[in-house]
Structures are given as structure tokens and as C-alpha cells.
Amino acid sequence: MKIAFVGKGGSGKTTLSSLFIRHLAANEAPVVAVDADINQHLGAALGLPDEDAAALPAMGAHLPLIKEYLRGSNPRIVSADTMIKTTPPGEGSRLLRVREENPVYEACARTVPLDDGEIRLMATGPFTELDLGVSCYHSKVGAVELCLNHLVDGVDEYVVVDMTAGSDSFASGLFTRFDMTFLVAEPTRKGVSVYRQYKEYARDFGVALKVVGNKVQGQDDLDFLRAEVGDDLLVTVGHSDWVRSMEKGRPPRFELLEADNRMSLQALQDAADDSYADRDWDRYTRQMVHFHLRNAESWGNAKTGADLAAQVDPDFVLGEPMTAQLG
């Protein structure tokens, strides 16, 4: 399952995504976690020392390797230089699996040990001073989008992406790459404003969206969220002494997380697993192609000097039956 955590800055999005990742690991699920936020905090939230979190390889720095590997022997892609963030796979492309070893993971992923098992962690890389005035953050997440376009994941496998705050992901097709999107919202007007944006944008693309109410302190907060988001409210999370200790850099063992919060995390996993029945690889591939053609026309063709529409393989559908194309 491909799962995104979104929300406004300060909503607790990264904290909740890290708790969910820990919960999945405790349930012995294979997990690839991706820090795609402009502020790179997921590594620290998963317990990495600051120096180790800062040393995570930036996916963007390895984009030529990623492109060359994923291109494989696809005859429609004449060179890795002509691949852009939305380039879809086709016959001959190499696809990624959650549990496999491959050059992309070797270059970009690091194993993070947790109390119960371990996960793979990847990061887009921070937005640096060198980027100011010459680059936008969406160029940073291009490697993430390209990898998700080539990723075949199963029902018992999880890719969890901590997205950048706000509605920035709508500047690309990245928001359509997930089976389930969890929007973290505080019980305030500002807290639900990003939800309204997501709900409006996602409606036309069939994006599955559920709200996680965070920092909920009483019935009034709960009533407010129910009035604002209705049936999209899945669970709420309140105060956590465990999280306070984690944020100070000394978390207890994960099994000591409060029972109510453990139940909320299980509800998230149940909702994600239930969405698997609605997975439509045909629609997923069509959306991938849709955004690729839009990007090709608006800037990709001019940048690469190639007709990127020719990269689309009309007979190819990404999906689990395509295992023969792995390699």
C-alpha cells in the first residue's frame, strides 16, 4: 500500500507518520518510508541521531542513477536524459519492489532499526541556500514521483511518504500516487483549511482521503472536527507522554505507547488495508500518463528537446501481474 501523510505545518504530520511507521514495523510489515517534506524531520522522529539524519543520501542527488536503472531496456526512452519526473514505465522498464535489493535502494535508502524490526528510509534531501531563487521544491520530489511511478507493491507491503506541508503536492501528479492519504488536522479553522483544499482537488481523481484529528483535548474539539470534515474523520489522537519523550530524544519502547493511540494507529492500518480492494491499476496508469503528457507539453519537451509523448507505451499497465518485467 502506498500511503501519504499530509497536513499544514505544525499539525503533527511527521510525528504521526513516524508513529504509523513504528506501528507497521511492530506488526512485522515490510516498510519503505520516504521523507518528502521540505523540512526533513522524519529521520529524527524515527529515532536517528541528528548527524545520522543529516547524512541520509538525497534522492535528488542520485537522479541520474535512478533514471538509468528504471529506464532498463525500454525502447521508447532513448536516454536517461530524456526522462522527467512523470515518465511512466513501459515494456522493458525496470520496476521497483518493496522487499527487493536494487541499485536505487543501495544508493538512496538506509536501514533504520526500530524497537520491533527495521524499515528502509529514503529522503528527498533538504531545501538548501543554493536552491533559493533558482529552484522550486517540486524539483526535489521529482525522484519520489518517478520511483512511485515504477513501484509495484503488494497488499502486505507499505510505502509511507511524509509529504510537504500544505497543498504543495498538487503542483505535480504526486498526490494521485497513493492508495490512501491521511490528512492530519488540528481542531481549528486553520487546521481544517488544508483539508478543504485537498478534498476539492482530490475529488476529480478518486483520491482516498481520511482525516486524522490531532491534539484533540475534549468533546468540543471532537464535535468541531466532525462538523467540519464529516465522515472523512477517521480517528483522533490526543496528548501523548510517549510522544513528548520522543520529541526530547528519549522515547520509551514503542510498546509503551498509550493504548488509545495504539488503537488509533491500528485504525489507520485497517483503513489503508481496506482501500486495497479499490485499487485500480488501469486508472493508476491512466493518471500517470495524464500528468506526464501535461508536463511534457508545458515544459518537458522544451527542456529535453524530445517528444516525451512518445515515451508512453499504450499497451502497458503497471500492476502486480507484471512480475515478469522485474529485473
Side-chain angles (χ1 to χ4, degrees):
M1 309 299 294
K2 302 181 183 77
I3 300 162
F5 279 80
V6 300
K8 79 174 187 67
S11 64
K13 169 181 62 65
T14 297
T15 297
L16 280 170
S17 61
S18 72
L19 291 177
F20 185 62
I21 291 165
R22 290 176 185 268
H23 168 79
L24 293 175
N27 285 348
E28 301 182 346
V31 180
V32 174
V34 182
D35 191 345
D37 196 350
I38 191 170
N39 299 305
Q40 304 267 282
H41 295 313
L42 184 59
L46 289 170
L48 286 181
D50 290 342
E51 59 272 19
D52 291 347
L56 288 170
M59 294 177 69
H62 294 282
L63 195 54
L65 178 150
I66 293 172
K67 290 180 177 180
E68 189 61 52
Y69 178 76
L70 296 179
R71 181 170 75 99
S73 60
N74 187 335
R76 295 176 179 272
I77 304 175
V78 297
S79 72
D81 291 337
T82 63
M83 293 180 73
I84 62 174
K85 63 182 182 178
T86 54
T87 295
E91 184 70 30
S93 295
R94 290 192 180 100
L95 306 180
L96 301 175
R97 285 280 189 179
V98 170
R99 307 186 207 212
E100 71 178 357
E101 300 295 333
N102 60 57
V104 175
Y105 291 155
E106 182 178 351
C108 302
R110 293 296 179 265
T111 299
V112 178
L114 300 173
D115 290 341
D116 304 284
E118 60 186 28
I119 58 100
R120 276 178 171 146
L121 175 61
M122 306 170 75
T124 61
F127 200 70
T128 67
E129 291 185 6
L130 295 176
D131 297 313
L132 296 177
V134 297
S135 182
C136 74
Y137 182 69
H138 308 296
S139 64
K140 295 287 186 181
V141 298
V144 178
E145 188 168 357
L146 193 59
C147 286
L148 290 182
N149 281 353
H150 290 73
L151 179 67
V152 181
D153 52 306
V155 64
D156 58 343
E157 301 170 331
Y158 298 85
V159 179
V160 181
V161 182
D162 181 21
M163 299 284 282
T164 192
S167 55
D168 284 352
S169 64
F170 289 109
S172 72
L174 189 56
F175 74 100
T176 66
R177 302 295 85 198
F178 302 101
D179 298 287
M180 176 60 68
T181 296
F182 293 127
L183 189 144
V184 182
E186 300 168 87
T188 64
R189 291 174 63 186
K190 288 184 179 180
V192 299
S193 62
V194 175
Y195 160 77
R196 295 195 184 97
Q197 289 180 302
Y198 247 90
K199 185 72 171 179
E200 179 181 351
Y201 294 147
R203 185 179 295 114
D204 293 337
F205 292 93
V207 173
L209 179 67
K210 290 294 182 182
V211 174
V212 182
N214 194 27
K215 305 176 186 178
V216 174
Q217 298 182 6
Q219 188 63 42
D220 186 64
D221 287 345
L222 181 59
D223 291 343
F224 174 83
L225 285 172
R226 282 176 173 164
E228 294 292 331
V229 308
D231 292 339
D232 285 339
L233 181 63
L234 179 62
V235 292
T236 61
V237 179
H239 173 79
S240 171
D241 290 332
W242 193 98
V243 169
R244 290 294 296 273
S245 296
M246 180 268 288
E247 291 174 340
K248 294 174 182 176
R250 46 177 188 269
R253 286 191 60 81
F254 185 66
E255 64 193 31
L256 299 177
L257 181 71
E258 299 85 0
D260 288 349
N261 290 330
R262 291 203 308 271
M263 290 177 62
S264 293
L265 294 174
Q266 185 60 53
L268 297 185
Q269 183 178 0
D270 292 343
D273 291 346
D274 288 346
S275 71
Y276 187 81
D278 297 323
R279 174 175 280 194
D280 184 341
W281 286 108
D282 286 327
R283 183 182 69 180
Y284 189 87
T285 305
R286 288 196 306 271
Q287 289 176 345
M288 190 190 313
V289 170
H290 168 78
F291 283 104
H292 178 62
L293 295 177
R294 285 180 56 178
N295 278 268
E297 184 177 352
S298 63
W299 61 271
N301 291 342
K303 181 177 181 179
T304 63
D307 177 13
L308 300 185
Q311 293 179 341
V312 176
D313 184 341
D315 298 321
F316 183 89
V317 176
L318 184 69
E320 291 171 271
M322 307 304 295
T323 53
Q325 297 194 38
L326 300 177

